[in-house]
C-alpha cells in the first residue's frame, strides 16, 4: 500500500498543495535530499556519542556557542566537588601551631631627629586569668558586642571573610565581620597583616580550633589576648588600666565599657577626647540593650545601669615620664592619620619611628617653662596661681617639622597633652588672620577695580577696603578689639574662617561665626597655632606640621609618610603687611634678645584687654615658630578657670608670662648671632 505523500506548504504558505516527488522534483534533487538527511542522521549519532555537546549540534549563530543547562549544571557540580575536595584536603593538612610567645614580642623604638634612641615601647602588659575569674556579666557583654552566636556558630563567618577579602583588594579597611574564634586565632597564632593569605589561614585554623577546642577555652583565650588600649592586652590588664581593680571585681556596667573599647580604643576610650566619650557612651548603652535583646540580661537588671561608668584617667609607663610621653603621643597620632597604622599595631612592636623632635630644643623648652613657673608663680601662697597649665610647641617654618613640644609637667602624672589639644581660646592671637583676610579682600577689590578701570578719576573704586576707616595695624599692636569685630562683620566671618583654616588651623577648632569670632573664641592647639604663624614667615604659604620623618617595620620602610607640600594660604603681599605689624608686636613684647642682634620676629599675643581665660604668645622667626599658651584647668571642672590674678596684679591676667617663656626658649634654641641687626619695622 502506498503511503500518502507528505503535505507541504506552497510558496505562499498554504498547506493545501500536495505534490508527488516525481511530479515536482527530478531524480537528482531527490538523491541530494536523501543524502542530506543521511548526513544529519550520522551527525546526530556522532553528537550523541560526544561527552560534551559543545559547540552545540543543531544550533546556528550565537546559539551554537551557548552551553546547555545540562552542561552548565554538570560543570558547576564538577567545580563544587573539586573545590570541596581541595578544601577538605587543606583542612586535614592544617595543624594548629604553637601560640605566640609574648616574651618574643618586639618593641617599637622611637628616635630623635639626630638618629639617637629616644624611647623603646614594647613590654607586653598582660596577665592571663582563668575564665572562672571573669564575671559572667563581662563574658556576656563581650559576646553580645562581638559575636552573639558564639556558642552556636562553626567558628567562622564566611560572609565576613569574603567582605574582608574584597576590602583588601579594594584597599579599604578590613576590620570587622570576624567571629570571636577568628579573632582569637589571629591574636594567638597569626600576624596582624591584612592580606588574603592571612585571612585564608585564619579561616581554616578557626574551623579546626572550633572543632577541637571547647568554646569556653576559646573565649578564655580571646579575653586574655585581646587589645583594650592603654597598653593593655587581656581583660585583667584592661580592668586595672581602666578601673584599677582585678577583672573578677568588674560589675556589668564596667564590663560593658570594656567590651565597647574592644571595637577600637583609639575611638572608644572615653578619656581621650569628647568625641571618644560620646561614642563610648553610645556603644556602652547599646551593649547593655543588646544583652536584653539576646536574652542574656533582664530588662529589670538593665534598668539599674543608667550612669556611665567613668574610667580612671590613663597613665603612661615610667619610661615615658617627663615630655617623652607627649612626644610619643604626637608621633602616634601623626602615624595613625597619615599611614593608617593603628595603636594595636604599634603596640605589637617591630617598628622603628624616626621623629622630627630635637632633644636639645625639647630640653630648652622644658627648662624655659619650669624657670618662669618657679620665678613667677606661687601656688602655695597665692590661690590664683593654683591649677595653672602651660602648653607649647615649636615648628621649623621651612618645612613644618615639629622640633619641640611642652605638653605638661609630666606625661605619667598629667596625661592630657597641652601642646596638642584644643579647648583654649586663642583670643588676640587670632587677630592676624582677620587682618590678613581683610587685606585679601582689599587686594581682590583692587584687581577688579583695575580690570574695570573708569577714566573718571572722581568715581570711587568698586570696593573700598575696611582699612580706609580703621587702622588694623595699630589695633593689632595695641590689642584693640572693636576694629577687628567691625572688620569681621564687613568682610564676612566665613572668609576669616576660610583663611584661618587654609593657614593650618583645624576646622573642628573653629568657634561659631558670631561677632566675637574675630577676637579669638576659636580654640586651636599650640601645635596648630605655631604652624599657622609660619604662613606669615613663608610669604603666605602654609605647610602641614609633621612629627615623623620615616617609619620602618623589621627594616622595611612603611609607605604613606611623604613630606607635606606647601600650599598657598594668602598672598605674599598680605603676609608681608601682617608680618610687619607682628614684628612690632614682638619687639614691644619681648624686647631685644640678650647678647645678640635683634632678630626679625613675627609675634602675636594676648594682652590686658583680653577677658578670655587664656594667655598666648606666638613668636615666629625664619628658624622657629613657637607658640606658648597658659591657662587654668581643674580635672573636675569642665570649663577653664579665670586667669584674673594669676601671677599677681602686674601680670596682666597671666599675659606677661608666655612672652618670657618664648624669649628664654628662643635664646637657648637659636644659635647667636643668627641675623644682622634689623629691629622692629614700622608699619607700611
Amino acid at each position: 500500500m502506498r503511503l500518502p505523500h507528505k503535505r507541504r506548504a506552497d510558496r505562499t504558505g498554504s498547506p493545501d498543495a500536495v505534490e508527488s516527488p516525481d511530479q515536482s522534483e527530478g531524480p537528482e534533487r531527490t538523491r541530494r535530499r536523501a543524502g542530506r538527511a543521511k548526513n544529519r542522521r550520522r551527525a546526530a549519532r556522532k553528537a550523541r556519542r560526544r561527552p560534551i555537546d559543545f559547540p552545540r549540534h543543531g544550533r546556528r549563530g550565537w546559539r551554537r556557542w551557548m552551553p546547555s543547562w545540562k552542561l552548565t549544571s554538570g560543570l558547576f557540580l564538577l567545580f563544587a566537588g573539586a573545590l570541596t575536595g581541595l578544601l577538605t584536603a587543606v583542612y586535614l593538612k592544617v595543624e594548629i601551631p604553637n601560640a605566640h610567645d609574648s616574651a618574643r614580642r618586639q618593641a617599637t623604638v622611637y628616635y630623635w631627629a639626630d638618629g639617637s634612641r629616644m624611647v623603646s615601647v614594647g613590654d607586653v602588659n598582660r596577665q592571663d586569668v582563668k575564665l572562672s575569674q571573669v564575671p559572667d556579666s563581662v563574658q556576656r557583654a563581650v559576646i553580645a558586642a562581638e559575636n552573639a552566636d558564639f556558642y552556636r556558630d562553626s567558628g567562622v563567618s564566611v560572609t565576613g571573610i569574603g567582605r574582608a577579602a574584597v576590602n583588601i583588594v579594594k584597599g579599604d579597611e578590613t576590620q570587622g565581620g570576624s567571629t570571636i574564634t577568628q579573632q582569637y586565632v589571629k591574636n594567638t597564632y597569626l600576624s596582624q597583616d591584612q592580606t588574603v593569605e592571612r585571612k585564608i589561614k585564619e579561616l581554616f585554623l578557626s574551623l579546626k580550633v572550633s572543632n577541637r577546642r571547647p568554646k569556653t577555652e576559646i573565649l578564655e583565650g580571646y579575653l586574655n589576648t585581646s587589645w583594650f588600649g592603654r597598653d593593655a592586652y587581656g581583660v585583667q590588664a584592661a580592668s586595672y588600666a581602666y578601673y584599677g581593680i582585678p577583672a573578677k571585681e568588674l560589675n556589668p556596667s564596667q564590663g560593658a565599657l570594656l567590651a565597647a573599647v574592644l571595637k577600637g580604643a583609639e575611638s572608644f576610650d572615653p578619656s581621650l577626647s569628647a568625641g571618644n566619650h560620646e561614642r563610648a557612651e553610645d556603644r556602652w548603652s547599646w551593649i547593655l540593650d543588646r544583652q536584653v535583646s539576646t536574652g542574656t540580661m533582664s530588662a529589670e537588671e538593665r534598668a539599674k545601669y543608667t550612669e556611665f561608668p567613668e574610667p580612671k584617667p590613663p597613665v603612661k609607663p615610667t619610661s615615658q615620664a617627663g615630655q617623652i610621653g607627649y612626644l610619643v603621643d604626637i608621633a602616634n597620632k601623626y602615624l595613625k592619620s597619615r599611614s593608617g597604622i593603628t595603636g594595636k599595631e604599634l603596640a605589637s612592636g617591630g617598628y622603628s619611628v624616626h621623629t622630627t623632635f630635637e632633644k636639645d630644643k625639647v630640653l630648652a623648652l622644658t627648662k624655659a617653662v619650669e624657670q618662669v613657673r618657679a620665678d613667677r608663680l606661687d601656688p602655695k601662697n597665692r590661690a590664683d596661681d593654683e591649677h595653672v597649665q602651660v602648653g607649647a610647641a615649636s615648628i621649623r617654618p621651612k618645612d613644618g617639622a615639629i622640633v619641640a613640644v611642652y605638653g605638661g609637667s609630666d606625661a605619667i602624672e598629667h596625661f592630657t597633652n597641652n601642646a596638642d589639644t584644643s579647648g583654649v581660646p586663642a583670643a588676640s592671637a587670632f587677630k592676624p588672620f582677620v587682618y590678613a583676610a581683610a587685606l585679601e579682600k582689599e587686594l581682590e577689590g583692587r584687581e577688579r577695580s583695575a580690570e574695570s578701570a573708569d577714566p573718571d578719576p572722581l568715581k570711587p573704586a568698586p570696593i573700598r577696603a575696611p582699612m580706609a576707616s580703621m587702622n588694623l595695624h595699630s589695633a593689632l599692636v595695641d590689642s584693640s578689639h572693636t576694629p577687628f569685630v567691625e572688620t569681621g562683620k564687613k568682610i564676612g566671618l566665613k572668609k576669616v574662617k576660610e583663611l584661618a583654616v587654609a593657614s593650618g588651623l583645624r576646622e573642628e577648632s573653629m568657634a561659631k561665626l558670631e561677632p566675637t569670632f574675630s577676637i579669638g573664641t576659636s580654640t586651636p592647639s599650640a601645635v596648630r597655632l605655631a604652624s599657622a604663624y609660619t604662613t606669615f614667615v613663608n610669604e603666605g604659604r602654609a605647610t602641614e606640621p609633621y612629627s615623623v620623618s620615616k617609619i620602618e617595620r623589621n627594616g622595611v620602610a612603611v609607605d604613606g609618610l611623604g613630606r607635606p607640600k606647601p600650599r598657598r594660604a594668602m598672598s605674599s603681599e598680605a603676609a608681608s603687611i601682617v608680618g610687619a605689624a607682628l614684628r612690632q608686636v614682638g619687639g614691644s613684647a619681648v624686647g631685644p634678645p640678650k647678647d645678640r642682634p635683634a632678630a626679625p620676629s613675627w609675634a602675636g599675643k594676648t594682652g590686658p584687654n583680653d577677658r578670655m581665660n587664656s594667655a598666648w604668645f606666638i613668636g615666629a622667626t625664619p628658624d622657629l615658630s613657637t607658640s606658648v599658651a597658659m591657662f587654668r584647668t581643674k580635672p573636675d571642672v569642665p570649663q577653664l578657670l579665670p586667669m584674673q590674678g594669676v601671677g599677681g596684679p602686674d601680670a596682666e591676667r597671666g599675659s606677661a608670662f608666655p612672652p618670657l617663656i618664648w624669649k628664654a626658649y628662643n635664646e637657648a634654641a637659636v644659635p647667636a648671632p643668627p641675623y644682622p641687626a634689623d629691629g622692629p619695622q614700622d608699619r607700611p
Side-chain angles (χ1 to χ4, degrees), residues 150-163:
F150 169 68
Y151 280 108
R152 299 187 299 274
D153 66 26
S154 62
V156 300
S157 169
V158 177
T159 57
I161 288 181
R163 185 165 56 251

Side-chain angles (χ1 to χ4, degrees), residues 305-566:
Y305 309 115
T306 58
E307 185 175 348
F308 184 70
E310 294 287 354
K312 67 176 188 175
V315 295
K316 289 285 186 183
T318 54
S319 62
Q320 298 184 41
Q323 299 303 305
I324 299 298
Y326 303 125
L327 300 176
V328 169
D329 176 62
I330 289 177
N332 287 350
K333 284 182 180 178
Y334 183 77
L335 288 173
K336 294 169 191 175
S337 66
R338 292 298 298 269
S339 67
I341 297 174
T342 66
K344 180 179 180 180
E345 289 169 336
L346 285 171
S348 69
Y351 290 97
S352 296
V353 181
H354 296 262
T355 74
T356 60
F357 307 126
E358 298 180 20
K359 186 175 182 180
D360 59 335
K361 290 182 173 58
V362 172
L363 294 175
L365 186 55
T366 302
K367 182 179 179 180
V369 173
E370 293 176 348
Q371 177 183 324
V372 171
R373 288 184 65 107
D375 292 345
R376 301 302 182 103
L377 298 181
D378 187 10
K380 293 183 178 180
N381 299 311
R382 196 161 46 221
D384 291 332
D385 289 356
E386 294 180 339
H387 311 298
V388 172
Q389 295 291 334
V390 175
S394 189
I395 289 177
R396 192 165 57 220
K398 67 179 181 180
D399 64 352
I402 305 172
V403 298
V405 299
Y406 180 86
S409 56
D410 193 321
I412 64 175
E413 297 176 0
H414 176 76
F415 181 77
T416 302
N417 190 340
N418 294 341
D420 195 33
T421 185
S422 62
V424 183
S428 289
F430 185 79
K431 291 177 182 176
F433 304 106
V434 183
Y435 192 179
L439 288 167
E440 291 290 87
K441 186 77 170 180
E442 180 184 21
L443 293 171
E444 291 173 7
R446 288 179 183 175
E447 291 175 1
R448 285 195 290 268
S449 177
E451 291 172 359
S452 59
D454 195 299
D456 183 0
L458 299 179
K459 187 173 182 180
I463 298 178
R464 288 294 185 187
M467 285 71 72
S469 58
M470 60 188 68
N471 192 327
L472 292 184
H473 182 107
S474 298
L476 184 62
V477 174
D478 298 337
S479 191
S480 299
H481 292 337
T482 303
F484 287 93
V485 174
E486 294 300 320
T487 298
K489 291 179 182 178
K490 289 186 177 181
I491 66 174
L493 297 177
K494 183 179 180 182
K495 184 174 182 63
V496 176
K497 175 183 175 181
E498 289 173 349
L499 185 139
V501 172
S503 298
L505 302 187
R506 289 193 180 279
E507 174 88 22
E508 55 268 28
S509 71
M510 294 292 99
K512 293 182 179 180
L513 299 184
E514 300 173 339
T516 53
F517 178 82
S518 295
I519 55 174
T521 52
S522 296
T523 57
S525 68
V527 169
R528 285 287 164 174
L529 208 44
S531 176
Y533 265 63
T534 66
T535 308
F536 303 117
V537 179
N538 291 329
E539 299 181 337
R541 292 183 298 270
T543 302
E544 191 74 6
Y546 73 102
S547 57
V548 177
S549 59
K550 182 176 65 174
I551 180 172
E552 298 174 330
R553 188 175 195 190
N554 298 324
V556 179
V558 178
D559 295 332
L561 290 179
R563 194 69 56 84
K565 295 182 179 180

Side-chain angles (χ1 to χ4, degrees), residues 76-97:
F76 173 78
L77 292 174
L78 180 64
F79 173 77
L83 181 62
T84 301
L86 176 63
L87 295 178
T88 301
V90 173
Y91 174 81
L92 294 174
K93 187 177 180 180
V94 166
E95 294 295 336
I96 301 175

Side-chain angles (χ1 to χ4, degrees), residues 1 14 16 27 130 134 166 177 194 209 245 257 289 291 327 373 412 436 438 476 497 503 525 535 592 597 670:
M1 179 178 69
S14 172
D16 297 327
K130 296 293 185 183
V134 182
V166 171
Q194 300 296 332
V209 166
I245 58 176
L257 186 276
D289 293 339
Q291 292 180 72
L327 300 176
R373 288 184 65 107
I412 64 175
L476 184 62
K497 175 183 175 181
S503 298
S525 68
T535 308
V670 178

Side-chain angles (χ1 to χ4, degrees), residues 164 167-169 172-176 186 191-199 202 345:
N167 288 342
I168 289 172
V169 173
D172 296 337
E173 178 63 45
T174 62
Q175 301 297 324
K186 181 174 64 175
S191 71
Q192 300 297 319
D193 297 336
Q194 300 296 332
T195 63
V196 174
E197 180 182 1
R198 206 271 296 151
K199 278 290 182 183
E202 177 187 306
E345 289 169 336

